[in-house]
Amino acid sequence: QVQLVESGGGLVQPGGSLRLSCQASGFTFSSFYMAWYRQGPGTERELVAGITSGGGKTHYDPSVKGRFTISRDNAKNSVYLQMNSLKSEDTAVYYCHADDYDEYEEYEYWGRGTQVTVSS
């Protein structure tokens, strides 16, 4: 079965850092665009960062650009989100997402999420 399992969330003070991990299984990880989304209380789920299947290009929401770094290790079927200089507005549940963007039959998968709380 397909699984995306996030880890690394927790409570951190403003200005601190966290590194999220997503372990994938059950599909051809290296064929998928990977992304991190987040959803705060009372907000819509939003794209935070994305990375192409080979890791050659990345995308960031302007609110996190320069602070967050997405990376992947296809040999480990894993994608990561390094979060630095965290702010209270970064508080959210962070979700791992996979999408092959196939033009004929698209597949996408979601993790269950990991909570990140930035508070003093």
Side-chain angles (χ1 to χ4, degrees):
Q1 70 275 57
V2 169
Q3 281 194 300
L4 294 174
V5 182
E6 302 98 335
S7 62
L11 175 65
V12 65
Q13 292 186 324
S17 297
L18 283 174
R19 186 178 188 247
L20 305 184
S21 298
C22 173
Q23 181 68 55
S25 60
F27 64 98
T28 307
F29 181 81
S30 60
S31 296
F32 280 67
Y33 185 92
M34 300 298 299
W36 289 94
Y37 286 73
R38 68 185 180 188
Q39 186 170 20
T43 69
E44 295 290 320
R45 190 172 298 188
E46 65 176 357
L47 177 66
V48 177
I51 187 167
T52 55
S53 60
K57 287 189 176 296
T58 57
H59 167 82
Y60 299 95
D61 184 86
S63 67
V64 308
K65 193 173 182 65
R67 300 187 298 120
F68 290 11
T69 303
I70 188 171
S71 61
R72 68 191 293 160
D73 186 341
N74 285 348
K76 296 181 178 179
N77 284 3
S78 296
V79 62
Y80 311 97
L81 186 67
Q82 178 66 47
M83 305 185 295
N84 299 326
S85 302
L86 283 161
K87 306 173 181 179
S88 60
E89 49 262 50
D90 296 318
T91 295
V93 177
Y94 284 72
Y95 298 90
C96 183
H97 180 253
D99 200 320
D100 66 358
Y101 292 104
D102 188 269
E103 62 183 317
Y104 301 109
E105 189 176 20
E106 183 181 1
Y107 288 89
E108 65 173 331
Y109 309 109
W110 290 95
R112 290 182 176 271
T114 185
Q115 177 71 48
V116 172
T117 302
V118 185
S119 177
S120 58

PDB file of all heavy atoms in Angstrom, residues 5 13 15 17 23 36 39 53 57 60 68 78 105:
ATOM      1  N   VAL A   5       4.700   9.085   5.346  1.00  0.00           N
ATOM      2  CA  VAL A   5       4.738   9.229   6.795  1.00  0.00           C
ATOM      3  C   VAL A   5       5.646  10.382   7.171  1.00  0.00           C
ATOM      4  O   VAL A   5       6.861  10.321   6.957  1.00  0.00           O
ATOM      5  CB  VAL A   5       5.201   7.939   7.486  1.00  0.00           C
ATOM      6  CG1 VAL A   5       5.191   8.121   9.004  1.00  0.00           C
ATOM      7  CG2 VAL A   5       4.304   6.774   7.091  1.00  0.00           C
ATOM      8  N   GLN A  13      10.572  27.418  19.706  1.00  0.00           N
ATOM      9  CA  GLN A  13      10.457  28.849  19.964  1.00  0.00           C
ATOM     10  C   GLN A  13      10.663  29.660  18.697  1.00  0.00           C
ATOM     11  O   GLN A  13      11.318  29.205  17.758  1.00  0.00           O
ATOM     12  CB  GLN A  13      11.481  29.276  21.012  1.00  0.00           C
ATOM     13  CG  GLN A  13      11.214  28.721  22.397  1.00  0.00           C
ATOM     14  CD  GLN A  13      12.156  29.268  23.433  1.00  0.00           C
ATOM     15  OE1 GLN A  13      13.332  29.506  23.159  1.00  0.00           O
ATOM     16  NE2 GLN A  13      11.651  29.482  24.635  1.00  0.00           N
ATOM     17  N   GLY A  15      12.238  31.853  15.999  1.00  0.00           N
ATOM     18  CA  GLY A  15      13.642  31.927  15.646  1.00  0.00           C
ATOM     19  C   GLY A  15      14.339  30.585  15.601  1.00  0.00           C
ATOM     20  O   GLY A  15      15.476  30.502  15.113  1.00  0.00           O
ATOM     21  N   SER A  17      14.565  26.244  14.800  1.00  0.00           N
ATOM     22  CA  SER A  17      14.582  25.425  13.590  1.00  0.00           C
ATOM     23  C   SER A  17      13.981  24.055  13.835  1.00  0.00           C
ATOM     24  O   SER A  17      14.023  23.526  14.959  1.00  0.00           O
ATOM     25  CB  SER A  17      16.020  25.237  13.088  1.00  0.00           C
ATOM     26  OG  SER A  17      16.609  26.465  12.725  1.00  0.00           O
ATOM     27  N   GLN A  23       8.751   9.917   4.752  1.00  0.00           N
ATOM     28  CA  GLN A  23       9.181   8.632   4.239  1.00  0.00           C
ATOM     29  C   GLN A  23       8.080   8.054   3.367  1.00  0.00           C
ATOM     30  O   GLN A  23       6.951   7.876   3.838  1.00  0.00           O
ATOM     31  CB  GLN A  23       9.505   7.680   5.384  1.00  0.00           C
ATOM     32  CG  GLN A  23       9.983   6.311   4.939  1.00  0.00           C
ATOM     33  CD  GLN A  23      11.340   6.362   4.279  1.00  0.00           C
ATOM     34  OE1 GLN A  23      12.300   6.867   4.859  1.00  0.00           O
ATOM     35  NE2 GLN A  23      11.430   5.861   3.054  1.00  0.00           N
ATOM     36  N   TRP A  36       5.553  19.975   0.169  1.00  0.00           N
ATOM     37  CA  TRP A  36       5.053  20.160   1.517  1.00  0.00           C
ATOM     38  C   TRP A  36       3.943  21.204   1.491  1.00  0.00           C
ATOM     39  O   TRP A  36       4.113  22.283   0.910  1.00  0.00           O
ATOM     40  CB  TRP A  36       6.154  20.618   2.471  1.00  0.00           C
ATOM     41  CG  TRP A  36       7.155  19.564   2.792  1.00  0.00           C
ATOM     42  CD1 TRP A  36       8.345  19.344   2.179  1.00  0.00           C
ATOM     43  CD2 TRP A  36       7.042  18.583   3.826  1.00  0.00           C
ATOM     44  NE1 TRP A  36       8.999  18.287   2.757  1.00  0.00           N
ATOM     45  CE2 TRP A  36       8.217  17.798   3.771  1.00  0.00           C
ATOM     46  CE3 TRP A  36       6.079  18.291   4.792  1.00  0.00           C
ATOM     47  CZ2 TRP A  36       8.448  16.736   4.653  1.00  0.00           C
ATOM     48  CZ3 TRP A  36       6.305  17.234   5.657  1.00  0.00           C
ATOM     49  CH2 TRP A  36       7.479  16.475   5.580  1.00  0.00           C
ATOM     50  N   GLN A  39      -1.484  23.595   6.825  1.00  0.00           N
ATOM     51  CA  GLN A  39      -2.808  24.111   7.109  1.00  0.00           C
ATOM     52  C   GLN A  39      -2.859  24.549   8.565  1.00  0.00           C
ATOM     53  O   GLN A  39      -2.718  23.727   9.473  1.00  0.00           O
ATOM     54  CB  GLN A  39      -3.882  23.064   6.840  1.00  0.00           C
ATOM     55  CG  GLN A  39      -5.297  23.585   6.988  1.00  0.00           C
ATOM     56  CD  GLN A  39      -6.329  22.593   6.484  1.00  0.00           C
ATOM     57  OE1 GLN A  39      -6.052  21.404   6.361  1.00  0.00           O
ATOM     58  NE2 GLN A  39      -7.517  23.082   6.188  1.00  0.00           N
ATOM     59  N   SER A  53      11.049  15.776  -9.580  1.00  0.00           N
ATOM     60  CA  SER A  53      11.344  14.375  -9.317  1.00  0.00           C
ATOM     61  C   SER A  53      12.826  14.086  -9.154  1.00  0.00           C
ATOM     62  O   SER A  53      13.212  13.229  -8.355  1.00  0.00           O
ATOM     63  CB  SER A  53      10.749  13.494 -10.423  1.00  0.00           C
ATOM     64  OG  SER A  53      11.283  13.837 -11.694  1.00  0.00           O
ATOM     65  N   LYS A  57      14.863  21.318  -9.472  1.00  0.00           N
ATOM     66  CA  LYS A  57      14.204  22.605  -9.305  1.00  0.00           C
ATOM     67  C   LYS A  57      13.321  22.574  -8.072  1.00  0.00           C
ATOM     68  O   LYS A  57      12.712  21.550  -7.756  1.00  0.00           O
ATOM     69  CB  LYS A  57      13.371  22.967 -10.536  1.00  0.00           C
ATOM     70  CG  LYS A  57      14.192  23.372 -11.747  1.00  0.00           C
ATOM     71  CD  LYS A  57      13.320  23.921 -12.850  1.00  0.00           C
ATOM     72  CE  LYS A  57      14.161  24.404 -14.019  1.00  0.00           C
ATOM     73  NZ  LYS A  57      15.028  25.547 -13.633  1.00  0.00           N
ATOM     74  N   TYR A  60       9.050  27.685  -3.715  1.00  0.00           N
ATOM     75  CA  TYR A  60       8.708  28.080  -2.360  1.00  0.00           C
ATOM     76  C   TYR A  60       7.639  29.151  -2.356  1.00  0.00           C
ATOM     77  O   TYR A  60       7.635  30.047  -3.212  1.00  0.00           O
ATOM     78  CB  TYR A  60       9.931  28.630  -1.614  1.00  0.00           C
ATOM     79  CG  TYR A  60      11.047  27.641  -1.466  1.00  0.00           C
ATOM     80  CD1 TYR A  60      12.094  27.615  -2.380  1.00  0.00           C
ATOM     81  CD2 TYR A  60      11.055  26.733  -0.417  1.00  0.00           C
ATOM     82  CE1 TYR A  60      13.124  26.703  -2.245  1.00  0.00           C
ATOM     83  CE2 TYR A  60      12.076  25.819  -0.278  1.00  0.00           C
ATOM     84  CZ  TYR A  60      13.110  25.810  -1.194  1.00  0.00           C
ATOM     85  OH  TYR A  60      14.130  24.900  -1.059  1.00  0.00           O
ATOM     86  N   PHE A  68      13.106  28.373   4.514  1.00  0.00           N
ATOM     87  CA  PHE A  68      12.868  26.938   4.393  1.00  0.00           C
ATOM     88  C   PHE A  68      13.621  26.382   3.193  1.00  0.00           C
ATOM     89  O   PHE A  68      13.790  27.062   2.176  1.00  0.00           O
ATOM     90  CB  PHE A  68      11.380  26.645   4.189  1.00  0.00           C
ATOM     91  CG  PHE A  68      10.497  26.902   5.379  1.00  0.00           C
ATOM     92  CD1 PHE A  68      10.946  27.587   6.499  1.00  0.00           C
ATOM     93  CD2 PHE A  68       9.187  26.445   5.363  1.00  0.00           C
ATOM     94  CE1 PHE A  68      10.116  27.821   7.585  1.00  0.00           C
ATOM     95  CE2 PHE A  68       8.345  26.674   6.441  1.00  0.00           C
ATOM     96  CZ  PHE A  68       8.806  27.359   7.548  1.00  0.00           C
ATOM     97  N   SER A  78      12.730   9.588   0.363  1.00  0.00           N
ATOM     98  CA  SER A  78      12.431  10.566   1.397  1.00  0.00           C
ATOM     99  C   SER A  78      12.511  11.983   0.866  1.00  0.00           C
ATOM    100  O   SER A  78      13.291  12.287  -0.043  1.00  0.00           O
ATOM    101  CB  SER A  78      13.398  10.434   2.573  1.00  0.00           C
ATOM    102  OG  SER A  78      13.251   9.181   3.219  1.00  0.00           O
ATOM    103  N   GLU A 105      -3.458   9.663 -16.637  1.00  0.00           N
ATOM    104  CA  GLU A 105      -4.007   9.118 -15.401  1.00  0.00           C
ATOM    105  C   GLU A 105      -3.144   9.590 -14.240  1.00  0.00           C
ATOM    106  O   GLU A 105      -2.126   8.978 -13.916  1.00  0.00           O
ATOM    107  CB  GLU A 105      -4.082   7.597 -15.452  1.00  0.00           C
ATOM    108  CG  GLU A 105      -4.832   6.988 -14.281  1.00  0.00           C
ATOM    109  CD  GLU A 105      -4.993   5.492 -14.390  1.00  0.00           C
ATOM    110  OE1 GLU A 105      -4.232   4.858 -15.152  1.00  0.00           O
ATOM    111  OE2 GLU A 105      -5.892   4.943 -13.721  1.00  0.00           O
TER     112      GLU A 105
END
